[in-house]
Amino acid sequence: MEKPKTPETAATLESKEKGPQKMRKPPTPEELISYYESQGMDSKAASIKVIQDLQGILLRAIGSNARGKTANPMAEMSRKLDTVNTRLAILEMKLDTKPGYLDSLTIGVAAGATLKGIGSVFPHVVGAFGQIWNAVRSSSNARP
């Protein structure tokens, strides 16, 4: 079975007349459909053929970014999606291990009670920590 030639649009005819150009305008979908209809296809079959051509171009474009010439573009895309999925799973796992609002509040209340208990037992230790805290706070507020 012989493959039909690609349609020659006005842009490609113009480029043949003027010589080689760096970028030529691709045919519009209407031009492609009318080309396939002129080959004897009905409108639905021509539309399906245009979609198949566009999918083939898309897969070739994805495949050109693959590591090797023999690499399967679908396998490459699947590998990339697996990598993204793995990274998202790791991120989700890290977020799940972080304490929530209630957990943080509980930890703060427990830490405050512990410090108050230490303060009543060892007032000179709490006083020293207070002096350190005030020194750090005053030095950080003194900066412009």
Side-chain angles (χ1 to χ4, degrees), residues 66-120:
R67 291 184 194 147
K69 296 275 185 183
T70 59
N72 185 0
M74 296 304 277
E76 182 75 15
M77 197 168 16
S78 176
R79 185 190 60 79
K80 288 179 182 179
L81 287 174
D82 286 343
T83 303
V84 169
N85 191 24
T86 303
R87 288 181 182 172
L88 284 175
I90 291 170
L91 181 63
E92 186 178 65
M93 194 169 40
K94 286 181 180 180
L95 287 175
D96 287 342
T97 60
K98 302 287 183 196
Y101 179 74
L102 290 176
D103 295 336
S104 299
L105 182 65
T106 306
I107 291 169
V109 169
T114 303
L115 284 177
K116 186 163 179 118
I118 290 174
S120 65

Side-chain angles (χ1 to χ4, degrees), residues 22-43:
K22 291 184 181 180
M23 293 291 293
R24 65 177 187 177
K25 182 180 173 187
T28 64
E30 292 85 10
E31 292 172 336
L32 289 173
I33 290 173
S34 65
Y35 170 75
Y36 287 121
E37 285 176 348
S38 70
Q39 297 292 319
M41 296 181 178
D42 63 340
S43 180

Side-chain angles (χ1 to χ4, degrees), residues 125-139:
V125 173
V126 175
F129 280 124
Q131 289 176 355
I132 293 170
W133 179 262
N134 287 334
V136 169
R137 187 175 54 162
S138 65
S139 68

Side-chain angles (χ1 to χ4, degrees), residues 12-71:
T12 56
L13 290 174
E14 185 178 301
S15 67
K16 285 181 182 178
E17 292 171 0
K18 291 184 177 180
Q21 293 179 347
K22 291 184 181 180
M23 293 291 293
R24 65 177 187 177
K25 182 180 173 187
T28 64
E30 292 85 10
E31 292 172 336
L32 289 173
I33 290 173
S34 65
Y35 170 75
Y36 287 121
E37 285 176 348
S38 70
Q39 297 292 319
M41 296 181 178
D42 63 340
S43 180
K44 185 177 179 181
S47 298
I48 291 172
K49 180 66 176 160
V50 169
I51 292 171
Q52 287 174 346
D53 290 347
L54 291 174
Q55 286 176 337
I57 291 170
L58 179 64
L59 286 176
R60 279 193 304 251
I62 291 171
S64 67
N65 293 335
R67 291 184 194 147
K69 296 275 185 183
T70 59

